[in-house]
Amino acid sequence: MSTETQEHDPLLAHQFEDVEQQTDSYVLGMWVFLVTEVLFFGGMILAFILYRNMYFPAFAEAHQKLDWRLGGVNTIVLLTSSFTMAMAVWASQKRDYGKQLMFLTITVLCALAFLVIKYFEYSAKFEHHLVPGTNFHFDGQNQNGVQLFFGLYFALTGLHGFHVLVGVLVIGVLMFRVWKLRKQEQDYVPTELVGLYWHFVDIVWIFLYPMLYLLGGVHI
Amino acid sequence: MHGHISSPATFIKTFIILLILMAVTVLVATKDLGWLNTPIAMAIAICKTAFVVLFFMGLKYSSRLSQVWAGVGLLFFIILIGLTIPDYLTRHDLPGWSE
């Protein structure tokens, strides 16, 4: 029994046949989770498409109130973080944990930069009375449609922002783990799974940016 | 495929393509193309998603089962959007429909 245990790959959990099956199972589980996330965001995106269709003039007017430049900067920031996340997975596969920690640090910094920019965008909306509720104020006949747009804007970007925040925490825990075990051989799969989640968050923004900031036209 | 390691060159190329597509989508938004603006913006977003999924997420090299699940996600999303929108767009045309 003891010899058999020693032959085992230390990275292999006992319920799996081999590392390949283990890796495939972990990755598959993450994809199943991401499918539920697609439907989670999908329902809200569907609501946005329908209301945009019903109140198009109001939505086109409301969308001019968003700063497409800040949204664009945030898109670049998130794309960069996705790139460094992919590089972190590569470094982990190469067992270069110093590099991996560096790439993960850049990813977290990008995520925090995204949230800071989002904070400034939200503050401006509060200042201009564009947050739905009793303080909402918008001149013109489209004010109800505009309020609806901002309700969906805050719901969609809020839910996305929450995912970014969760991403920061999860990457933080991963970094601590990688640092703690830096002297020994590590499985790259945890990094791979966090990466899958992070790329998904990036994809959501890839759709939110044109939907909220660009459709209806941009004036340079 | 198990143990596939994508090279940094692949990631750098993907990253550059994503940045170019992002610039294109902003550029297209500055032009008034009428009804074409929305389909073009969405087509670019879908294109960007394909690059992220295939290369950053490595779905191209994942197990068949993971690929099927990613396809399931896409299929469910298409059903969600694709069956609801025609309903909303056409229900007013039905005889006997009232708000």
Side-chain angles (χ1 to χ4, degrees), chain A residues 70-139:
Chain A
L70 285 181
V73 170
N74 259 350
T75 308
I76 294 169
V77 164
L78 270 198
L79 288 177
T80 308
S81 78
S82 243
F83 167 67
T84 55
M85 189 73 223
M87 290 301 288
V89 174
W90 169 79
S92 182
Q93 285 173 324
K94 291 284 181 195
R95 305 195 194 288
D96 188 339
Y97 302 121
K99 247 188 207 151
Q100 185 190 352
L101 285 172
M102 180 194 81
F103 282 125
L104 288 176
T105 307
I106 301 172
T107 308
V108 167
L109 290 178
C110 284
L112 292 174
F114 178 91
L115 290 172
V116 168
I117 292 172
K118 205 80 228 150
Y119 167 78
F120 283 115
E121 283 191 76
Y122 276 9
S123 312
K125 299 295 165 289
F126 275 95
E127 234 170 75
H128 299 137
H129 300 285
L130 289 171
V131 181
T134 47
N135 273 328
F136 183 83
H137 181 78
F138 188 83
D139 289 322

Side-chain angles (χ1 to χ4, degrees), chain A residues 173-184:
Chain A
V173 171
L174 177 73
M175 284 172 72
F176 177 71
R177 222 183 92 107
V178 171
W179 174 79
K180 211 175 70 178
L181 303 172
R182 67 195 177 282
K183 295 271 190 278
Q184 63 198 68

Side-chain angles (χ1 to χ4, degrees), chain A residues 20 28 31 34-35 42 49-50 52-54 68 72 75 80 83 86-87 90 93 196 199 203 207 217-218 220, chain B residues 2 4-6 8 11-12 15 22 26 29-30 38 49 53 56-57 59 65 69-70 76-77 80 85 88-89:
Chain A
E20 185 174 353
L28 177 64
W31 274 103
L34 292 184
V35 169
I49 295 172
L50 289 174
R52 180 175 179 270
N53 193 55
M54 289 177 195
W68 66 271
T75 308
T80 308
F83 167 67
M87 290 301 288
W90 169 79
Q93 285 173 324
L196 287 177
H199 296 312
I203 289 171
F207 281 94
V218 154
I220 293 184
Chain B
H2 172 65
H4 175 88
I5 300 181
S6 297
F11 295 142
I12 292 169
F15 182 45
M22 139 89 197
V26 173
T30 60
T38 306
T49 303
V53 168
F56 278 176
M57 296 170 98
L59 191 68
L65 204 51
W69 266 93
F76 282 4
F77 187 73
L80 179 72
I85 304 251
Y88 271 85
L89 291 181

Side-chain angles (χ1 to χ4, degrees), chain A residues 6 12 19-20 23 25 31 33 38 46 64 70 80 86 97-98 112 130 153 165 168 186 211:
Chain A
Q6 280 164 1
L12 181 65
V19 172
E20 185 174 353
T23 301
S25 306
W31 274 103
F33 168 66
V38 165
L46 174 64
Q64 300 293 350
L70 285 181
T80 308
Y97 302 121
L112 292 174
L130 289 171
Y153 165 79
L165 194 62
V168 170
Q186 297 179 39
M211 271 170 53

